[in-house]
Amino acid sequence: MTTPVLSAHDLTVRFGGQQPVDALRDVTLELGAGEILALVGGSGSGKTTLARCLLGLLRPDAGEVRVDGRPLGYGAARLRGHRRQVQLVPQDPAGSLNPRHPVAWAVAEGLNIHRFPRAGLPDRVAAALAEVGLSPPGRFLPARPRELSIGQQQRVALAAALALAPRVLVADEPLSALDPPARADTLALLLRLRAIRALSVLLITHDLAAAWQAADRLAVLHHGTLAESGPVESVLRSPRHPATRALLAAATRPLPRRPQLP
Amino acid sequence: MTAADLRLQDLSVTYRGARGPVPAVRSVTLAIAAGAPVGLAGESGSGKSTIAHAVLRLLPPGTELTGQILLDGEDVVTMGWGRLRAVRWAGAAIVFQGALHALNPIRRVVDQVAEPVLIHSAGTTHRQARDRAAEMLSRVGLPAGTSARYPHQLSGGQRQLALIAMAMVCSPRFVIADEPTSAVDTVTRARVVRLLTATAAEQDIGLLLISHDLTLLTTACTRLAVMYAGRVIEHGPTADLASAPRHPYTAALLAAAPAVGDPAARYRPRGLPGDPPDPTALPPGCAFQPRCPRATAACATTDVELRADGPARRTACLHPGPAT
């Protein structure tokens, strides 16, 4: 791969307390330009912790995060620049959108924080909304989150991230609150964005069908370590690690029809 | 004691929105009995969660509720406040969606699960309630240390299991699980569904499983009802509905969940174009008609109701039938 846009090298993150635990241990991962990388793993496998490190929100205890091959700096100015380029689409739109703010404010928030010229804001906000399919803007700009469906809220969060023209989107479980048609629709949107903007996407999901439909490569995390990674076809057709096999089996095996009494 | 029986009769729920009334649920009739879990499927915004909240009158003030919600024959809609309070948690309980913000972040898990016990069992001491809560947390499969933890120290899947423990802790007759697996990984998902159905079977609980994941519901429910824009648009025995859907929307739901490894699905996600309709601006006639591959002129003028369509099956469509 040519120099990856964003990468993690031997990343280790330890959470202390009464029972210290390694949330991540020696994780090395690369995200190329214009690539969709699916990051999968069970609950508690470290996916969100890894995302937070890549976003600069969490400093690892060992190892480093690199941007275009250069180590990420943690000074205020460099981090602000980093966050403009690497945007998070959080897992829970209901939790991340201020319920009292109309959509227009939610989408403009990042632009304000990063001091984009005010004159250009309305156009950028409208363009971002159009890009995620929330049209006509007049209908959505004044709306408050509770007036929108979950799928629409998700798209507002996505528009807010896209408004900054980032190079990388870290989408943390963007599909889990959506139903199959909306999921497929969101994946189609991510594929379009990848094509139009050469956007790189780190797609954090436990949905292997989503990875199959939209990702180029797949990385499997298991209890904080990288179980395996590679092109989607190879990893999903010939899984090597038991964790991958377990995820695959759970995704494709139908649950028993009759409840099994303990 | 007679078997648990929950009936929604011609239920309609209209929210008071900033820009006018929002009809979230429109004339829904549904029955759930112990021993036969019912699955309620549909897109976000279809009204499924509203039904869950309506059953225990957990709707915002100003919301208009018409029709009946009969819990073992008692109408929740006209219940007095005292009786309603007694019914919540102990008569019927909801496993809420969105575990991330359903738990109080500044209270320990065991104290939150113990809270319904304290409210509903007069004379129970705090210690007894906490013990009962701890027992329940263990029964849903959470490790011993969970009780003393705060919600942010649990993973998403563990929080969901804690919410199930909370719903079960007062031994309710009905459990309504509203998207109990949407924030949970595939491995825990299987466990959550098994836990709900097994507990419902062994304790004779009436179970209503609400999810946008139709595949999940097909594995656990005896009957399925599919919602769109506030209405039930198809209803029938699970196996029949899943193998031979009659409503084009049901067919679309089933088609949008592909098999991993299917080359036809690689880079080709098959979704439904467009969005569910804005409930304050429903299209004329059938609400699904703008996105429907089978729509004809008649569909834009007739708002079809559920009608009999085969043995124990009902479909709200002018052109029901197999996908072409």
Side-chain angles (χ1 to χ4, degrees), chain A residues 19 178-179 212 215-216, chain B residues 19 43 149 185 212 266-267:
Chain A
Q19 291 156 313
L178 305 175
D179 43 35
W212 181 257
D216 302 308
Chain B
R19 288 173 293 155
E43 292 198 8
R149 293 218 159 101
D185 64 88
H212 60 254
R266 190 88 178 94
Y267 297 121

Side-chain angles (χ1 to χ4, degrees), chain A residues 197-249:
Chain A
R197 288 166 163 253
L199 190 63
S200 304
V201 181
L202 179 68
L203 178 66
I204 302 174
T205 181
H206 51 254
D207 182 352
L208 290 181
W212 181 257
Q213 288 175 297
D216 302 308
R217 281 168 56 240
L218 177 67
V220 181
L221 275 189
H222 180 65
H223 292 325
T225 60
L226 188 67
E228 70 178 294
S229 70
V232 162
E233 286 90 346
S234 341
V235 176
L236 291 181
R237 285 219 175 106
S238 327
R240 286 198 206 126
H241 196 280
T244 316
R245 285 198 213 108
L247 282 171
L248 207 50

Side-chain angles (χ1 to χ4, degrees), chain A:
Chain A
M1 177 189 294
T2 52
T3 312
V5 143
L6 191 56
S7 52
H9 299 263
D10 298 314
L11 225 52
T12 298
V13 172
R14 205 159 282 127
F15 288 143
Q18 289 183 338
Q19 291 156 313
V21 66
D22 276 355
L24 288 178
R25 198 166 46 250
D26 299 321
V27 174
T28 295
L29 198 60
E30 294 180 341
L31 176 65
E35 175 179 52
I36 297 182
L37 172 65
L39 181 62
V40 306
S43 197
S45 59
K47 311 190 292 291
T48 299
T49 306
L50 178 55
R52 299 184 77 217
C53 287
L54 292 171
L55 288 159
L57 292 173
L58 185 61
R59 267 192 103 145
D61 294 289
E64 63 183 15
V65 173
R66 289 183 203 155
V67 183
D68 293 321
R70 288 186 305 274
L72 176 64
Y74 290 92
R78 294 203 43 198
L79 271 184
R80 182 183 292 132
H82 179 68
R83 285 175 195 156
R84 220 215 79 204
Q85 301 222 49
V86 181
Q87 277 287 303
L88 171 68
V89 183
Q91 177 166 4
D92 179 23
S96 69
L97 293 177
N98 188 322
R100 304 179 105 194
H101 289 177
V103 165
W105 290 21
V107 178
E109 189 177 348
L111 295 168
N112 279 317
I113 290 171
H114 290 278
R115 300 178 195 147
F116 276 64
R118 295 198 65 184
L121 289 188
D123 284 343
R124 279 184 178 265
V125 168
L129 286 176
E131 204 166 9
V132 300
L134 291 178
S135 288
R139 179 178 152 199
F140 292 97
L141 287 166
R144 284 189 165 65
R146 66 165 180 278
E147 298 169 47
L148 305 177
S149 68
I150 298 280
Q152 290 168 333
Q153 288 177 31
Q154 189 86 69
R155 291 209 224 141
V156 168
L158 185 53
L162 290 172
L164 289 151
R167 294 171 67 206
V168 179
L169 270 188
V170 175
D172 189 357
E173 304 277 8
L175 310 172
S176 51
L178 305 175
D179 43 35
R183 228 176 267 190
D185 212 51
T186 304
L187 292 173
L189 174 59
L190 290 176
L191 285 167
R192 266 198 310 278
L193 290 169
R194 187 264 289 272
I196 296 170
R197 288 166 163 253
L199 190 63
S200 304
V201 181
L202 179 68
L203 178 66
I204 302 174
T205 181
H206 51 254
D207 182 352
L208 290 181
W212 181 257
Q213 288 175 297
D216 302 308
R217 281 168 56 240
L218 177 67
V220 181
L221 275 189
H222 180 65
H223 292 325
T225 60
L226 188 67
E228 70 178 294
S229 70
V232 162
E233 286 90 346
S234 341
V235 176
L236 291 181
R237 285 219 175 106
S238 327
R240 286 198 206 126
H241 196 280
T244 316
R245 285 198 213 108
L247 282 171
L248 207 50
T252 53
R253 182 186 61 219
L255 295 166
R257 279 292 305 278
R258 298 214 151 269
Q260 272 151 15
L261 297 177

Side-chain angles (χ1 to χ4, degrees), chain B residues 104-216:
Chain B
N104 187 328
I106 61 168
R107 298 186 69 197
R108 292 180 200 275
V109 170
V110 69
D111 292 328
Q112 297 191 53
V113 177
E115 199 177 331
V117 180
L118 283 171
I119 292 172
H120 290 279
S121 312
T124 315
T125 64
H126 277 84
R127 142 111 348 120
Q128 287 170 327
R130 267 204 300 275
D131 286 345
R132 170 102 185 104
E135 183 204 321
M136 207 65 215
L137 287 167
S138 161
R139 282 228 273 164
V140 301
L142 286 166
T146 310
S147 290
R149 293 218 159 101
Y150 289 90
H152 70 267
Q153 296 176 297
L154 270 52
S155 69
Q158 291 174 328
R159 284 192 284 255
Q160 191 67 74
L161 291 171
L163 283 170
I164 294 176
M166 198 188 294
M168 303 285 195
V169 81
C170 292
S171 306
R173 284 171 58 79
F174 300 98
V175 169
I176 297 125
D178 186 8
E179 297 282 9
T181 60
S182 61
V184 154
D185 64 88
T186 40
V187 179
T188 315
R189 189 171 298 179
R191 205 164 134 205
V192 164
V193 172
R194 232 188 321 263
L195 178 65
L196 286 168
T197 52
T199 314
E202 87 189 41
Q203 291 180 23
D204 243 1
I205 295 175
L207 180 61
L208 177 61
L209 263 183
I210 299 176
S211 178
H212 60 254
D213 187 343
L214 191 53
T215 316
L216 183 94

